[in-house]
């Protein structure tokens, strides 16, 4: 999984990124993130709206800061509400909450904002929480025993208590599903859904767009079974802002709810209040994703193809459209508005180096080199294949009928060591690290070797490095190289 597809991580040091084992991007602009490292430390970064970074203050940060309370607690997952608030749970089943709390969505018995993660105690002590979900201002927790607990805003019945008053502490959702075991939970903005171990689906809360799948638009204060799925075993349900998707045990996808942006994938933009089967043409589906932050839907088929539909970067895509992506997360990083994660993203720490990383390591490494270029007696260890692939000058040089092709050592004295080293390193890394004055000589090399992209890079470095002291010298060089 490539974290760098998420803009909020663009300033992170590579050494820090390599230590991340789980990350979650949230915030109303996709501008907040929380990360867990391989050493079980927790860091946060971003705008810190309502204290949602859990740092104990309201200060934003461009660089990771440690969330002391959660460090070494073995955090297993997160959920976030657009309110905004955040819920975390650990391997031991403890649950923490922080952020906005005007509707009691933190479950701590009050409606006071909380700037640091605090254990949710009432009614969850002794319960092992294995999944959490958040709507805009309400929260759900699923325990190992299959119990569903809810708390927070309840103006539409999204807490499932049978009333419409807000709930300040977690309470078990008892009506109907209380005696049955749940295996999965999900939240829309103001609705809730649970999947039972027998494959039944129940929904409660706001239903103005038919997102409960009951065939009507009436809000529900208690869980109601989605009857149109009778005889179908559902294994997973996800919720968008106001739509719902359910995946069956045979890989069939059922959808219902709002469809203003084509997020149901039915080929039109009409709302649907009862489940309909869609996307049968793309084959067996193995995973689906959506989040209450936006109106985008995505699915992965058994041959690992990823499809998306709904509001994709301002476009209304009404039918499942194949993407070149290999992960559902990529759809949200590139096409969702805002770009937030539909669930925390696990990072494979043992995935090995990328091609670019391997090439960087290989440069000037005598252990794998098959060619040494010496510049004024100083060696630079390189690989003929890389030079031939990356540079026309070397492609021409290393041919059967040229003497250079059979040699393992070449001498280059036309340019200085510093500049030639920078040139060869550029071929391996696509990076140029030289001051403007040295970039002049590299510009000369780029001209001699007909490396147009490198020439443009040098021009940029020189242009940005112009000062009163070097302006005349740089101008004369610009004339010589016909560089504006």
């Amino acid at each position: 999984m490539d974290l760098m597809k998420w803009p909020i991580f663009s300033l992170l040091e590579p050494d820090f990124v390599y230590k991340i084992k789980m990350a979650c991007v949230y915030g109303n602009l996709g501008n907040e993130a929380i990360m867990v490292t391989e050493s079980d430390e927790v860091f946060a970064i971003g705008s810190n709206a309502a204290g949602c970074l859990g740092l104990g203050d309201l200060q934003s940060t461009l660089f990771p800061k440690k969330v002391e309370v959660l460090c070494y607690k073995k955090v297993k997952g997160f959920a976030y509400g657009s309110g905004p608030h955040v819920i975390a749970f650990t391997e031991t089943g403890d649950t923490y909450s922080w952020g906005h709390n005007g509707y009691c969505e933190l479950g701590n018995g009050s409606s006071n904002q909380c700037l640091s993660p605090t254990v949710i105690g009432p009614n969850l002590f002794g319960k092992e929480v294995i999944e959490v979900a958040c709507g805009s201002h309400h929260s759900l927790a699923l325990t190992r025993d299959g119990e569903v607990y809810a708390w927070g805003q309840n103006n539409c019945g999204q807490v499932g208590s049978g009333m419409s008053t807000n709930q300040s502490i977690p309470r078990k959702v008892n009506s109907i599903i209380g005696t049955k075991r749940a295996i999965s939970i999900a939240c829309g903005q103001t609705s809730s859904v649970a999947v039972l171990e027998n494959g039944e689906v129940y929904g409660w809360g706001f239903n103005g767009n038919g997102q409960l799948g009951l065939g009507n638009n009436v809000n529900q204060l208690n869980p109601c079974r989605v009857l149109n799925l009778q005889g179908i075993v559902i294994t997973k349900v996800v919720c968008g802002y106001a739509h719902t998707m359910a995946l069956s045990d045979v890989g069939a996808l059922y959808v219902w709810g709002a469809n203003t942006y084509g997020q149901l994938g039915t080929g039109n933009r009409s709302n649907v209040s009862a489940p309909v089967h869609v996307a049968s043409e793309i084959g067996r589906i193995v995973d689906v994703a959506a989040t209450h932050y936006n109106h985008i839907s995505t699915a992965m088929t058994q041959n690992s193809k990823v499809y998306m539909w709904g509001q994709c970067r301002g476009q209304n895509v009404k039918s499942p459209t194949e993407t070149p992506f290999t992960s559902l997360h990529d759809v949200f990083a590139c096409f969702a508005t805002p770009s937030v994660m539909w669930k925390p993203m696990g990072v494979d720490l043992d995935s090995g180096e990328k091609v670019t990383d391997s090439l960087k390591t290989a440069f000037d490494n005598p252990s794998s080199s098959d060619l040494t270029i010496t510049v004024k007696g100083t060696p630079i260890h390189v690989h003929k294949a890389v030079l031939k692939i990356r540079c026309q000058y070397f492609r021409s040089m290393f041919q059967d009928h040229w003497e250079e092709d059979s040699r393992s050592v070449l001498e280059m004295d036309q340019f200085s060591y510093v500049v030639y080293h920078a040139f060869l390193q550029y071929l391996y890394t696509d990076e140029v690290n030289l001051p403007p004055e040295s970039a002049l000589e590299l510009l000369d090399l780029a001209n001699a070797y007909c490396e147009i992209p490198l020439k443009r890079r040098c021009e940029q470095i020189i242009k940005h490095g112009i000062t009163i002291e070097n302006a005349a010298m740089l101008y004369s060089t610009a004339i010589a190289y016909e560089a504006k």
Side-chain angles (χ1 to χ4, degrees):
M1 306 291 186
D2 189 359
L3 283 178
M4 292 304 104
K5 288 184 178 177
W6 302 86
I8 193 168
F9 298 130
S10 58
L11 293 179
L12 296 184
E13 293 290 336
D15 289 345
F16 179 80
V17 174
Y18 292 142
K19 297 175 182 176
I20 297 173
K21 70 175 182 180
M22 181 173 66
C24 188
V25 177
Y26 52 99
N28 289 333
L29 294 173
N31 54 354
E32 295 177 318
I34 195 161
M35 300 151 282
V36 182
T37 68
E38 58 183 333
S39 58
D40 201 29
E41 293 181 305
V42 181
F43 292 84
I45 185 174
S47 65
N48 206 15
C52 272
L53 296 187
L55 299 172
D57 57 40
L58 292 170
Q59 301 299 311
S60 63
T61 174
L62 285 171
F63 301 98
K65 287 187 177 180
K66 193 175 290 187
V67 185
E68 299 283 357
V69 178
L70 294 179
C71 288
Y72 315 115
K73 295 291 198 315
K74 296 184 178 179
V75 173
K76 192 174 181 180
F78 300 95
Y80 50 84
S82 55
H85 71 289
V86 185
I87 309 289
F89 67 100
T90 68
E91 284 188 8
T92 57
D94 293 329
T95 311
Y96 294 78
S97 64
W98 63 98
H100 184 270
N101 196 30
Y103 299 89
C104 307
E105 57 263 49
L106 299 186
N108 59 16
S110 78
S111 59
N112 299 324
Q113 180 174 290
C114 188
L115 304 181
S116 296
T118 304
V119 174
I120 302 176
N123 296 336
L124 286 185
F125 274 139
K127 301 288 184 179
E128 184 184 352
V129 172
I130 60 171
E131 187 180 353
V132 289
C134 295
S136 58
H137 299 288
H138 76 288
S139 310
L140 299 181
L142 176 66
T143 70
R144 178 73 64 187
D145 296 329
E147 298 174 327
V148 178
Y149 286 80
W151 61 95
Q153 188 180 37
N154 195 34
N155 60 324
C156 304
Q158 57 265 49
V159 167
S161 62
M163 300 180 290
S164 57
T165 53
N166 295 348
Q167 196 157 281
S168 63
I169 61 173
R171 295 190 186 279
K172 185 179 175 182
V173 181
N174 281 314
S175 177
I176 302 178
I177 69 169
T179 58
K180 301 177 181 179
R181 181 184 172 89
I183 60 170
S184 183
I185 52 176
C187 291
Q189 273 278 304
T190 48
S191 61
S192 303
V193 181
V195 182
L196 306 188
E197 62 181 349
N198 62 1
E200 295 176 356
V201 177
Y202 285 79
W204 60 98
F206 184 69
N207 195 31
N209 299 286
Q211 55 261 61
L212 300 186
L214 306 176
N216 58 49
N217 297 102
V218 180
N219 296 351
Q220 300 295 325
L221 304 182
N222 290 300
C224 292
R225 185 180 173 188
V226 182
L227 294 176
N228 279 38
L229 291 175
Q230 198 159 2
I232 299 168
V233 177
I234 298 299
T235 57
K236 179 179 181 177
V237 168
V238 294
C239 294
Y241 184 96
H243 77 287
T244 309
M245 299 196 296
L247 183 62
S248 79
D249 60 342
V250 295
L253 179 61
Y254 297 85
V255 299
W256 58 91
N259 197 27
T260 308
Y261 305 95
Q263 61 264 48
L264 297 186
T266 56
N268 58 51
R269 293 167 57 188
S270 301
N271 292 358
V272 175
S273 62
V276 293
H277 183 200
V278 297
S280 57
E281 69 280 1
I282 68 175
R284 184 185 179 118
I285 296 173
V286 296
D287 203 3
V288 291
T291 167
H292 73 277
Y293 261 70
N294 47 46
H295 312 279
I296 195 169
S297 304
T298 181
M300 178 180 283
T301 62
Q302 63 180 356
N303 57 2
S304 296
K305 290 185 177 180
V306 173
Y307 292 78
M308 69 179 188
W309 60 97
Q311 191 180 37
C312 303
R313 284 281 174 188
Q315 296 188 59
N316 299 327
V317 180
K318 295 176 286 187
S319 299
T321 301
E322 186 177 346
T323 73
F325 303 133
T326 57
S327 164
L328 298 182
H329 284 292
D330 293 346
V331 172
F332 290 87
C334 300
F335 279 93
T337 306
S339 293
V340 297
M341 290 183 178
W342 65 285
K343 71 173 184 178
M345 185 172 106
V347 182
D348 186 358
L349 296 172
D350 300 319
S351 58
E353 288 186 324
K354 297 181 181 179
V355 173
T356 52
D357 296 329
S358 299
L359 282 174
K360 287 180 182 179
T361 305
F363 174 67
D364 206 8
N365 185 344
S367 65
S368 62
S369 165
D370 61 355
L371 177 67
T372 301
I373 294 178
T374 62
V375 183
K376 295 181 171 58
T378 306
I380 306 172
H381 304 282
V382 291
H383 308 74
K384 283 184 183 179
V386 174
L387 300 190
K388 288 168 70 174
I389 291 170
R390 291 280 287 148
C391 178
Q392 179 61 51
Y393 175 83
F394 288 113
R395 272 197 295 277
S396 301
M397 177 185 290
F398 299 129
Q399 296 188 43
D400 303 359
H401 53 279
W402 294 112
E403 180 188 350
E404 286 86 352
D405 187 49
S406 61
R407 293 167 61 181
S408 60
V409 179
L410 292 177
E411 290 189 21
M412 300 287 191
D413 294 325
Q414 185 180 356
F415 301 97
S416 68
Y417 169 80
V418 171
V419 165
Y420 216 84
H421 186 277
F423 167 60
L424 294 173
Q425 189 172 36
Y426 161 77
L427 297 181
Y428 278 76
T429 66
D430 227 13
E431 298 171 358
V432 178
N433 296 305
L434 281 176
E437 292 74 18
S438 297
L440 287 168
E441 188 183 353
L442 185 58
L443 178 62
D444 190 10
L445 185 155
N447 271 291
Y449 287 11
C450 298
E451 286 290 323
I452 303 304
L454 178 58
K455 178 181 175 181
R456 291 181 185 140
R457 190 81 63 87
C458 292
E459 290 171 357
Q460 186 181 46
I461 292 172
I462 296 166
K463 186 193 300 182
H464 293 167
I466 295 174
T467 65
I468 292 174
E469 289 76 15
N470 66 17
M473 185 255 296
L474 293 177
Y475 181 55
S476 66
T477 306
I479 293 173
Y481 293 134
E482 298 180 355
K484 291 182 180 180

